[in-house]
Amino acid sequence: MSSIPLNPGAIGTGGRTRARENYLNIKHTVSSWLLTADHKRIAVLYMISISVMFLFGGVAAAGIRIALVRPHDTFFSSETYNKLFSAHGIIMVFFFLVPSIPATLGNFLLPIMIGARDLAFPRLNLLSWYLYMFGAVLVMGAILFGGIDTGWTFYEPYSSVYSNTNVVAVIVGVFIAGFSSIATGINFLVTVHKMRAPGLTWFRLPLFVWAMYATSIIIVLGTPVVAITLLMVVLERVFGVCVFNPACGGDPILFEHLFWFYSHPAVYIMILPSMGIISEVIACFARKRIFGYEFVAFSSMAIALLGFLVWGHHMFVTGESMYSGMVFSLITFLIAVPSAIKVFNWSATLYKGNVWLTSPLVFAIGFILLFTIGGLTGLFLASLAVDVHLNMTYFVVAHFHYVMVGGAIFGYMAGLHFWWPKITGRMYPEGWAMLSAFIMFIGFNLTFFPQFILGFDGMPRRYHFYPPEFQMWNILSSAGSSVLAVGMIIPGIYFLWSLRYGALAPSNPWGAKGLEWTIPSPPPSHNFDNVPIVTEDAYAYEAIYAAELAGDYSHVEAPIPLGAEAEYSSPAEPSKLPNSSEERQ
Amino acid sequence: MSLELQHPAVAPQRLSHQFEQIDQQNEIYIVGMWTFLVTEIMFFGALFVALTVYRSVYPDAFEQAHSALNVWLGLTNTFILLTSSFTAAMAVRSKMLGQRVLTLLFLGITIVCAFGFLGVKYVEYSAEFREHHFPGPNFQWSQTVSPSTAQGDLAANSQVALGVPKIGVNEFPANYQPQQLELHKRELFFSLYFVMTGLHGFHVIIGILVLSTLWLLIYFNHPTVDDYMPVELAGLYWHFVDIVWIFLYPLVYLIGKQ
Amino acid sequence: MDNSEHINHGPGVGHHHVTPVGTYVATYLALLVLLVLTFAVSRIDLGAFNIVVALGISVVKTALVVLIFMGVRHNSKLTWFWASIGFVWLILLFLTLGDYVTRQWVHLPLGW
């Protein structure tokens, strides 16, 4: 597919045409950003904030890997080590992974993908960003000035009775951030239900929208439970009430039940949006309809539902009833089915597809490989007997990093590369992107595969010191993490570079289907001049591929003269020409 | 029975830019509010799970402990909240029909009821603080714990009732006795009682703030409340607060009272 | 689930359901009767049925408030869906009890 010209610099050459008005250049004041109700601007605000939080979480991770190079680390005190892994977990889970894709790409794309001008509640969306920032500042303050050593799980009674660190401030921050994601979830649900463009039926929705819908259901139904549970920990610490404290006959396992009722579905909050991105990217670059669209859509819903029924598998080795454990183990095996359906369908889509190997697709394939490993090792942990051996070891750490980093972050990177031209209006350097994808893949496996071996050999997680025989694998892991870090810093640099020096992006650089590619890059503030009418299924790539074969398809449109935006439409999709008779108000 | 009508008195509603029709906008607001209420249901749901678990594990201790609550004050408060729910529904109806004075009247009664509820709660809480029923280091239980009760709970639930000593001490106190655990089980009940009624009370306070703001806006004919939707949404929230109490009252005050 | 039904009317005009005052008053009286009932029943020892009756009455009261005061019976299917999903999901949360019920089925020696 290398014959497709990827030379979007044709627009705007020589400054003959000024940039058309879009959501980025419509106003430049600080308050126009901080008080915006535009979902696209809020997405950009979120993108900046979560990138900063990711950096903090990454620094904590680097600290952990530095400490674990030697069996008896003297670089950090053990207290500091505990605070490092707690900070890493709390920042990455609550302030990066949970909001990452929904609040950035989801916020940006969801209304556009369904042909709406904005989310249903634009000001609630802005409020959600402020809540996130408030929680993030509180948590970062608490971590920088004192820290917290409970781990991201805040297990009772350590968190309420024994820990002498900033538990209250951190929990309040997480609590507030929880309301920020609830606000996003409510917004998405209502928007998908009620604001789809005419003709956009449920089974014409892009799979990314299905994934966001399933994610929002989990957010709305799960987050309040963890919020109240953490609130009770705060009340125990502050007022001395006792709900989970075994000293009062309270049951710490009840805390774990309520905590994991959210926190297990929360891993699907992290992975489902990535899965949605992968479906988009793979269909586009295989130039094929996604194989078994309905199955992929329903598997998202099945994961959302089943995800609520497996929380007990985090407590197999606690005092949880063994009968309970059996049922949870069984349902945990069941949830592998919808996950596998997705992997099979993506593979089947790529099979005999007309694959155009671009960096988003490389990230997506990396996702499939790593998610498969992460998912299959999850089945080891779902088996009751095996879990007794593997629980609380590095095997668990490796497993969930394969799913969270290998899955969620590779998916996020795939989506970021795929939609970067749409969001910023600039192309990134493809060669560097390809390079960073391979570096990340290698660095990631080097970091986390040794941890499977460590865990299987019995190294417990969260320990500062370990027997010397584990040192080799730990050094490999630490070395890999520096490779991974390089792989993540490169995109940071070329994305920033592209903002100024990147070639101007055409409205549809990939020849992709979907409403977001029918509007200019970057989109105008109101998204659509006329409400689009949808007349075909998502991923109807046959026409595009046929046009490409015949040589009469180009990803580059002619420069558009100023003032002619109203007539603007993508040359690829005559079926979606704005219909002036449908113009509203 | 109710009538579906395009009532002439219904004030025209303004359409926000992101919507297409007023029906779509109204439904989006109502569905959005309900989605929020779903999160509230899950929020309180976790507390009801905790209450159910501990009640089933420590039936005797919980029965003794809740007999210290004033069931008549609880009954009064339920009556007050049901009344306020009725007046809230009437306020929404009046607002929809554009009856300004009636809206102000019914909203006013709702707010007064909410304050009445908090007043009764204040009387209850004061009594409980006086009797040292607030959990924490000063928690006291004046009635003696019958040994058979203690035995019953302990034997039936040995796996939960691990005899771990009181907060803040890392070793077993020398005078550690099962009686102390019995005391703490009552403390557990009162912890749940205070957390649940406290959170509910917090929701009542939020409700007062929202309803009072609406009352003032309507009183000064502010354009935001030309539309009846704000009152409708506040009403939905207020009814939810009522529903929580509908379950709290029997489960905390009544059950086991024989 | 299709959204086509709502594009039939012009913008600015909505449908409103105005419930008669009599319905609200009747509901209010029914709620008060149920309140007295739940209080009276709690004074009679029915053993395990006390809690069943109390919860049953609470569910009826909630249904009255949701359907009439909150007006869900006139709302769209979508509102029905969201109004019910919270109560349905609570059942999942209450599956936690399965752990506590079955813990005593096996008598293991305490401690390791």
Side-chain angles (χ1 to χ4, degrees):
Chain A
M1 300 304 298
S2 55
S3 64
I4 290 176
L6 192 65
N7 179 23
I11 314 185
T13 39
R16 276 182 290 110
T17 50
R18 202 151 45 82
R20 65 176 79 80
E21 189 174 87
N22 59 50
Y23 81 100
L24 289 169
N25 65 11
I26 190 165
K27 273 184 191 159
H28 290 288
T29 57
V30 173
S31 67
S32 78
W33 279 92
L34 293 183
L35 299 176
T36 182
D38 183 345
H39 65 100
K40 299 180 287 300
R41 286 194 160 203
I42 295 169
V44 172
L45 290 175
Y46 255 120
M47 201 174 285
I48 297 167
S49 336
I50 68 158
S51 302
V52 171
M53 290 308 276
F54 182 74
L55 203 62
F56 283 124
V59 169
I64 298 170
R65 286 320 318 170
I66 289 170
L68 290 177
V69 168
R70 284 181 297 171
H72 283 270
D73 168 58
T74 49
F75 199 78
F76 296 110
S77 69
S78 292
E79 287 75 18
T80 312
Y81 178 80
N82 291 347
K83 288 174 182 175
L84 278 174
F85 73 68
S86 304
H88 172 67
I90 290 164
I91 293 172
M92 287 301 198
V93 170
F94 295 111
F95 294 93
F96 178 75
L97 285 168
V98 167
S100 60
I101 296 171
T104 58
L105 295 174
N107 236 335
F108 193 95
L109 293 166
L110 187 96
I112 304 181
M113 280 182 163
I114 63 170
R117 290 188 207 102
D118 206 323
L119 288 168
F121 308 112
R123 279 176 295 178
L124 182 68
N125 198 18
L126 181 65
L127 174 71
S128 123
W129 181 71
Y130 276 101
L131 287 174
Y132 172 85
M133 287 308 288
F134 188 63
V137 168
L138 197 57
V139 166
M140 280 318 298
I143 284 173
L144 293 177
F145 301 99
I148 175 169
D149 64 353
T150 59
W152 77 276
T153 49
F154 307 109
Y155 270 6
E156 284 265 346
Y158 183 72
S159 58
S160 69
V161 181
Y162 300 104
S163 176
N164 288 319
T165 50
N166 294 333
V167 180
V168 172
V170 170
I171 287 184
V172 170
V174 169
F175 185 84
I176 293 168
F179 280 92
S180 129
S181 67
I182 287 177
T184 306
I186 293 177
N187 232 331
F188 284 4
L189 285 174
V190 179
T191 307
V192 174
H193 267 297
K194 292 304 298 177
M195 296 181 70
R196 282 170 284 130
L200 189 55
T201 56
W202 280 90
F203 289 104
R204 286 179 177 173
L205 284 176
L207 287 165
F208 182 68
V209 176
W210 273 100
M212 294 314 308
Y213 183 80
T215 307
S216 307
I217 287 188
I218 303 176
I219 290 177
V220 162
L221 293 168
T223 315
V225 176
V226 82
I228 184 68
T229 311
L230 294 180
L231 188 66
M232 282 193 271
V233 174
V234 170
L235 293 177
E236 287 200 355
R237 268 185 91 86
V238 176
F239 294 110
V241 305
C242 45
V243 181
F244 303 119
N245 186 353
C248 312
D251 185 9
I253 298 174
L254 181 62
F255 170 86
E256 296 187 25
H257 273 298
L258 297 176
F259 180 84
W260 288 111
F261 184 82
Y262 163 78
S263 295
H264 190 78
V267 308
Y268 300 109
I269 296 179
M270 305 169 200
I271 196 75
L272 275 173
S274 278
M275 292 172 160
I277 289 174
I278 301 305
S279 303
E280 299 290 320
V281 169
I282 282 187
C284 170
F285 292 114
R287 287 291 188 267
K288 267 173 80 179
R289 281 172 194 265
I290 198 97
F291 184 86
Y293 171 95
E294 286 84 358
F295 280 91
V296 181
F298 277 126
S299 65
S300 289
M301 300 306 290
I303 288 175
L305 173 66
L306 284 176
F308 272 103
L309 293 167
V310 300
W311 77 85
H313 67 213
H314 293 269
M315 292 121 70
F316 283 161
V317 297
T318 65
E320 184 190 39
S321 143
M322 59 183 263
Y323 296 99
S324 225
M326 287 177 200
V327 174
F328 280 124
S329 169
L330 185 71
I331 306 175
T332 308
F333 279 113
L334 283 182
I335 207 168
V337 175
S339 313
I341 285 176
K342 279 178 184 287
V343 171
F344 291 142
N345 282 336
W346 292 323
S347 316
T349 309
L350 283 172
Y351 178 66
K352 286 191 176 172
N354 306 289
V355 175
W356 177 16
L357 199 67
T358 56
S359 49
L361 186 64
V362 173
F363 276 111
I365 293 171
F367 170 97
I368 297 177
L369 294 175
L370 300 177
F371 175 74
T372 306
I373 297 177
L376 287 176
T377 48
L379 293 181
F380 296 22
L381 294 167
S383 327
L384 282 168
V386 181
D387 189 63
V388 173
H389 175 57
L390 296 178
N391 197 288
M392 287 289 153
T393 67
Y394 263 86
F395 195 89
V396 177
V397 175
H399 155 69
F400 72 72
H401 278 88
Y402 262 82
V403 180
M404 299 290 87
V405 185
I409 294 186
F410 270 68
Y412 181 56
M413 292 301 283
L416 210 52
H417 284 84
F418 190 53
W419 284 295
W420 187 259
K422 181 54 62 186
I423 295 172
T424 63
R426 300 283 183 163
M427 301 303 294
Y428 53 84
E430 173 67 15
W432 283 101
M434 202 67 105
L435 180 70
S436 87
F438 280 102
I439 294 178
M440 265 182 73
F441 187 79
I442 293 164
F444 174 81
N445 280 299
L446 192 54
T447 311
F448 292 106
F449 201 84
Q451 296 185 3
F452 278 127
I453 299 162
L454 279 173
F456 202 81
D457 285 349
M459 176 164 162
R461 65 192 286 202
R462 292 179 171 174
Y463 276 30
H464 190 202
F465 299 149
Y466 56 86
E469 60 260 35
F470 292 140
Q471 191 176 14
M472 183 187 76
W473 298 114
N474 272 304
I475 288 178
L476 273 181
S477 181
S478 293
S481 68
S482 53
V483 178
L484 183 58
V486 170
M488 285 175 173
I489 290 168
I490 295 175
I493 294 171
Y494 65 70
F495 275 146
L496 288 176
W497 175 89
S498 76
L499 289 180
R500 193 169 178 85
Y501 304 105
L504 287 180
S507 63
N508 191 356
W510 316 118
K513 299 294 290 185
L515 290 176
E516 77 269 30
W517 302 109
T518 65
I519 57 172
S521 310
S525 287
H526 50 277
N527 297 349
F528 297 95
D529 293 324
N530 302 301
V531 174
I533 314 282
V534 180
T535 55
E536 59 185 357
D537 292 347
Y539 315 118
Y541 276 105
E542 297 87 347
I544 285 189
Y545 183 59
E548 280 174 351
L549 280 187
D552 56 359
Y553 180 85
S554 167
H555 297 285
V556 185
E557 68 257 23
I560 295 166
L562 266 180
E565 285 82 13
E567 281 80 50
Y568 180 84
S569 74
S570 165
E573 286 158 301
S575 61
K576 283 180 198 156
L577 277 174
N579 185 344
S580 59
S581 67
E582 288 296 318
E583 196 174 347
R584 327 271 165 120
Q585 287 115 57
Chain B
M1 284 304 295
S2 75
L3 351 152
E4 179 186 329
L5 66 152
Q6 312 239 335
H7 203 282
V10 174
Q13 298 177 281
R14 282 180 307 151
L15 192 61
S16 294
H17 78 100
Q18 69 270 32
F19 303 128
E20 307 299 321
Q21 294 103 20
I22 209 76
D23 272 351
Q24 183 198 20
Q25 172 172 320
N26 286 348
E27 196 190 347
I28 278 178
Y29 284 149
I30 289 181
V31 171
M33 190 65 197
W34 263 107
T35 317
F36 170 71
L37 293 183
V38 165
T39 69
E40 291 274 29
I41 291 171
M42 298 307 289
F43 196 73
F44 279 97
L47 289 170
F48 279 105
V49 167
L51 182 71
T52 314
V53 164
Y54 289 132
R55 173 184 289 284
S56 64
V57 173
Y58 305 128
D60 294 346
F62 266 48
E63 190 183 326
Q64 281 200 5
H66 91 156
S67 62
L69 298 180
N70 189 327
V71 65
W72 294 102
L73 288 181
L75 187 69
T76 316
N77 258 347
T78 318
F79 171 72
I80 291 174
L81 271 192
L82 288 178
T83 309
S84 74
S85 217
F86 166 68
T87 54
M90 289 302 290
V92 174
R93 181 184 189 278
S94 319
K95 181 64 197 164
M96 200 189 268
L97 296 177
Q99 299 159 331
R100 180 170 170 275
V101 179
L102 275 181
T103 312
L104 287 174
L105 174 72
F106 282 122
L107 268 187
I109 298 176
T110 312
I111 297 166
V112 169
C113 282
F115 274 110
F117 177 87
L118 288 182
V120 173
K121 212 69 228 157
Y122 173 77
V123 173
E124 274 187 270
Y125 277 178
S126 323
E128 279 142 10
F129 272 90
R130 263 198 312 278
E131 291 168 35
H132 293 282
H133 283 169
F134 187 79
N138 293 324
F139 184 82
Q140 285 174 19
W141 191 254
S142 48
Q143 289 151 291
T144 48
V145 179
S146 65
S148 63
T149 310
Q151 286 301 320
D153 270 2
L154 276 173
N157 309 292
S158 49
Q159 295 215 351
V160 176
L162 299 172
V164 183
K166 182 73 180 117
I167 307 182
V169 198
N170 284 336
E171 63 266 4
F172 276 65
N175 60 346
Y176 179 71
Q177 289 161 357
Q179 253 80 3
Q180 252 180 322
L181 184 62
E182 283 307 304
L183 177 75
H184 293 321
K185 287 181 194 168
R186 281 143 189 82
E187 198 180 342
L188 190 65
F189 173 83
F190 275 98
S191 297
L192 283 169
Y193 164 80
F194 275 104
V195 170
M196 293 176 93
T197 56
L199 265 178
H200 180 263
F202 180 73
H203 279 78
V204 172
I205 293 171
I206 300 276
I208 289 176
L209 291 176
V210 171
L211 294 171
S212 310
T213 312
L214 283 178
W215 195 92
L216 287 173
L217 288 175
I218 294 171
Y219 185 79
F220 290 110
N221 291 316
H222 194 276
T224 348
V225 288
D226 287 346
D227 196 329
Y228 74 93
M229 253 314 136
V231 182
E232 165 94 44
L233 297 182
L236 287 181
Y237 173 82
W238 190 254
H239 294 308
F240 169 78
V241 173
D242 186 30
I243 289 174
V244 173
W245 191 261
I246 284 177
F247 281 94
L248 262 182
Y249 175 61
L251 286 179
V252 173
Y253 287 81
L254 290 183
I255 293 189
K257 200 92 176 174
Q258 281 149 16
Chain C
M1 298 291 260
D2 193 74
N3 68 341
S4 56
E5 77 268 13
H6 71 86
I7 55 172
N8 303 323
H9 323 291
V13 185
H15 287 92
H16 306 275
H17 296 276
V18 183
T19 308
V21 178
T23 311
Y24 283 143
V25 173
T27 311
Y28 176 53
L29 292 178
L31 286 172
L32 291 188
V33 169
L34 287 170
L35 172 62
V36 173
L37 193 65
T38 192
F39 182 75
V41 169
S42 74
R43 297 267 144 162
I44 309 163
D45 185 3
L46 298 173
F49 282 98
N50 270 98
I51 191 155
V52 177
V53 173
L55 280 176
I57 294 176
S58 292
V59 168
V60 174
K61 281 159 90 177
T62 304
L64 285 175
V65 172
V66 168
L67 293 179
I68 297 171
F69 281 174
M70 301 172 94
V72 168
R73 76 199 159 123
H74 293 307
N75 284 350
S76 62
K77 284 193 182 115
L78 185 57
T79 318
W80 276 90
F81 174 71
W82 281 107
S84 45
I85 195 168
F87 296 103
V88 171
W89 230 254
L90 269 187
I91 298 171
L92 297 190
L93 190 53
F94 270 85
L95 292 182
T96 305
L97 295 178
D99 175 20
Y100 291 87
V101 171
T102 56
R103 259 188 224 181
Q104 284 114 47
W105 288 7
V106 191
H107 288 284
L108 295 171
L110 278 180
W112 289 90

